[in-house]
Amino acid sequence: MTTELSTERRLWALYEPLHAVTYFAPAGRAAFEEAGLRGFWRGYFAGRGAPLGPIGPAPVVAAFYGFAPSMVERALPELWTRITPEAALAARLDGARRALAPAVAGLDGIEEAAGLLREAATGAETHGRVLAAANAALPWPGDALGTVWQAATILREHRGDGHLAALLVEGLDGAEAMVWRVALNDGRGRTAAQPARGWSDEEWDAARTRLHQRGYLDGEGVATQKAHSAYQTLEETTDQLAARPWQALGPERTERLATLLTPVADRINAELAPFYPNWIRLPAPARGAS
């Protein structure tokens, strides 16, 4: 059965791929390697963490939420001996431009989309949202592709920060949030999610035990009705916390932006399909959720 997505989730499905090229598109990864960061995770932690400055692991564990502390500690602060935050910011923007160029080739309205995205991002409130605030404080690029990427990044971190606030209200820590998400997906995705976030088998199983004790999982690790109800509430809260940019933009211009971004997101998703894990439940841009 097909259900209609909220405005906030529909737009997330369109701007999330624009941001994701930084880490998952070959051009984005190449830009980090050219800057001296070999290996996916060096580029990821340096690129995403750079707006916060040359920080250590603790703030990144807190702001990124789902990563095992031991995984972050292997990257930070050692990364900042290889690259400065300023150079990492330049590399991620350069890679994003390279990756987005073919995605918008031959399409009309990119300048218009850049203006609408920037206006939406400017309307995103940042109190209590560390990653959104850090990205919003950066200077705006002077070109359409750079603006598209910068705005998409502010918006996705804005939504992400709100999502973490909802997880906190639900009382889920980083490991529990990952185990819970996999259980909601009928157990699929653990082989990708667990190593991608650095949790050991012992840490994963301990989180599963805690979730069972709280009634989110049954004795076999299957998500209970309580877990599914909590997920619905959490996603609704995330949408509510992500609503202000679209309220500021207004329904007509929001729909215009969605029209402009749909073919771009479709192209990006087609390119990133072999690299980009969708266990985060990102909905397809042109379809409702099933």
Side-chain angles (χ1 to χ4, degrees):
M1 182 176 179
T2 300
T3 57
E4 184 177 354
L5 294 176
S6 66
T7 295
E8 296 81 15
R9 281 183 69 81
R10 284 196 301 115
L11 270 294
W12 173 49
L14 295 170
Y15 63 71
E16 178 75 20
L18 302 179
H19 166 80
V21 298
T22 314
Y23 311 111
F24 295 99
R29 296 172 69 171
F32 285 123
E33 290 189 0
E34 291 164 14
L37 297 178
R38 299 190 64 82
F40 175 85
W41 290 112
R42 286 195 179 105
Y44 178 85
F45 283 116
R48 195 174 178 208
L52 300 173
I55 57 174
V60 169
V61 171
F64 290 16
Y65 204 86
F67 286 89
S70 59
M71 182 175 181
V72 182
E73 289 163 2
R74 286 195 294 271
L76 298 171
E78 188 269 343
L79 266 177
W80 307 125
T81 68
R82 299 171 180 265
I83 193 170
T84 65
E86 293 77 14
L89 290 173
R92 73 176 193 169
L93 183 57
D94 176 49
R97 286 187 176 113
R98 289 193 232 169
L100 288 175
V104 305
L107 297 177
D108 295 326
I110 298 307
E111 294 280 353
E112 182 185 0
L116 290 171
L117 267 173
R118 177 169 176 170
E119 186 172 345
T122 302
E125 77 284 16
T126 57
H127 50 273
R129 304 181 197 242
V130 172
L131 290 173
N135 281 280
L138 298 174
W140 283 97
D143 62 302
L145 282 184
T147 297
V148 162
W149 184 83
Q150 177 81 353
T153 297
I154 294 168
L155 289 166
R156 74 89 56 199
E157 298 292 20
H158 175 267
R159 181 181 176 91
D161 288 340
H163 184 67
L164 300 190
L167 286 171
L168 283 171
V169 171
E170 193 61 33
L172 297 168
D173 65 26
E176 292 164 357
M178 298 304 301
V179 174
W180 181 67
R181 179 57 59 90
V182 168
L184 288 168
N185 201 34
D186 298 326
R188 296 188 299 273
R190 176 176 176 175
T191 56
Q194 183 182 344
R197 294 297 181 261
W199 299 105
S200 68
D201 287 340
E202 292 77 11
E203 290 168 327
W204 190 274
D205 292 341
R208 185 169 65 179
T209 297
R210 294 195 299 273
L211 291 172
H212 171 57
Q213 291 170 342
R214 294 175 58 192
Y216 290 105
L217 305 181
D218 66 16
E220 302 300 317
V222 176
T224 62
Q225 183 56 50
K226 177 181 178 179
H228 285 281
S229 297
Y231 173 76
Q232 182 66 31
T233 299
L234 189 145
E235 289 302 316
E236 290 173 355
T237 299
T238 300
D239 283 347
Q240 291 169 7
L241 294 173
R244 191 169 296 182
W246 315 113
Q247 293 170 349
L249 198 60
E252 291 185 6
R253 291 193 297 160
T254 296
E255 290 304 317
R256 174 59 178 165
L257 177 60
T259 298
L260 293 170
L261 292 185
T262 295
V264 183
D266 284 340
R267 288 182 178 183
I268 294 171
N269 284 334
E271 180 191 5
L272 298 190
F275 315 107
Y276 187 34
N278 200 24
W279 39 264
I280 62 173
R281 289 193 169 189
L282 181 70
R287 302 189 301 275
S290 58

